[in-house]
Amino acid sequence: MKQKNVKYVGDICGQKYYVENPMSHKLVKNRGQLPKYYVSDHHKPIVDRETVNKAQEIYNLRSTKIKNGEVYCEKYSLKYPFSSKVYCQCCQQTYVRRSTNYTNKVGVTHNHVYWTCSGKKLNVCTDSVSIREKELESLFVSLFNKFIKETKNDDLINKIKKVICKESDNTQIKKMISK
């Protein structure tokens, strides 16, 4: 397993870069042109090896996911509510959040936040549709409310309502789920 930064565990890797020309002092990444030197337990570690290995496993698992026999990258992010949760119906890639700002002729700046297929930027998907974030949120809320109405006596629904009401001080969310 290749680690990103061996300094955390107290190791050191020498000659990752080398000076190509002593006159220009240009640094070049060593991709096998010269030998690299690896010294274990060179200095006091910041983090123990077990923790770093576990973190590295999680990193590798999340950075590459196998789907339909092909390896592709997928970002696992909790930054936005819909990250890695909405998939394109055409190419099965995840939707990503985009934002555009523009100023109209009057001088008013508009900010549009929308979600679009990640395959669109790579020219893999040409048939996907972008959707504004407000519309996506509204759609989710209406589906969630429909789900709650259809399963009123369920313990899960009561627990969800309890958690949302307890953790959220947003009155608009409380108002939507109380319907």
Side-chain angles (χ1 to χ4, degrees):
M1 176 179 350
K2 184 181 173 188
Q3 292 185 353
K4 285 286 191 186
N5 197 338
V6 296
K7 294 176 186 175
Y8 292 141
V9 292
D11 297 349
I12 191 166
C13 183
Q15 208 159 304
K16 286 194 252 184
Y17 292 88
Y18 66 95
V19 178
E20 183 182 56
N21 182 351
M23 299 299 264
S24 66
H25 299 288
K26 182 180 176 187
L27 279 178
V28 178
K29 188 170 185 169
N30 186 358
R31 292 191 167 98
Q33 298 93 329
L34 296 173
K36 292 182 183 179
Y37 302 99
Y38 193 88
V39 180
S40 295
D41 301 321
H42 175 266
H43 55 276
K44 186 178 178 183
I46 299 169
V47 182
D48 63 287
R49 285 187 195 276
E50 187 179 318
T51 306
V52 170
N53 289 339
K54 185 68 176 170
Q56 197 66 38
E57 275 181 39
I58 294 169
Y59 174 80
N60 290 335
L61 180 71
R62 289 182 176 181
S63 64
T64 307
K65 187 176 180 179
I66 297 177
K67 188 172 187 174
N68 297 332
E70 295 179 22
V71 176
Y72 71 96
C73 292
E74 180 178 294
K75 292 182 181 174
Y76 285 71
S77 174
L78 298 176
K79 190 171 184 180
Y80 305 109
F82 300 110
S83 296
S84 298
K85 292 178 179 68
V86 180
Y87 289 87
C88 178
Q89 67 181 359
C90 304
C91 68
Q92 306 308 313
Q93 297 278 348
T94 57
Y95 264 57
V96 291
R97 188 177 189 263
R98 300 272 188 242
S99 177
T100 58
N101 292 319
Y102 72 91
T103 307
N104 63 12
K105 294 177 185 176
V106 183
V108 178
T109 303
H110 296 274
N111 179 22
H112 291 286
V113 179
Y114 60 97
W115 288 80
T116 188
C117 176
S118 58
K120 205 172 207 175
K121 189 173 185 179
L122 304 169
N123 294 326
V124 175
C125 186
T126 54
D127 299 330
S128 67
V129 195
S130 298
I131 184 168
R132 289 198 177 178
E133 189 171 59
K134 294 287 183 194
E135 293 172 11
L136 193 57
E137 289 170 351
S138 174
L139 179 65
F140 174 78
V141 169
S142 65
L143 286 172
F144 183 76
N145 284 337
K146 184 177 178 183
F147 174 73
I148 287 177
K149 285 178 185 175
E150 290 178 3
T151 54
K152 284 191 176 186
N153 297 326
D154 194 22
D155 284 340
L156 175 65
I157 300 303
N158 293 329
K159 287 178 183 177
I160 291 172
K161 283 183 179 182
K162 188 176 179 181
V163 168
I164 290 174
C165 290
K166 188 185 290 183
E167 291 183 2
S168 175
D169 58 356
N170 191 340
T171 55
Q172 186 179 6
I173 292 174
K174 290 179 184 177
K175 186 177 175 183
M176 281 190 266
I177 64 164
S178 63
K179 291 181 180 179

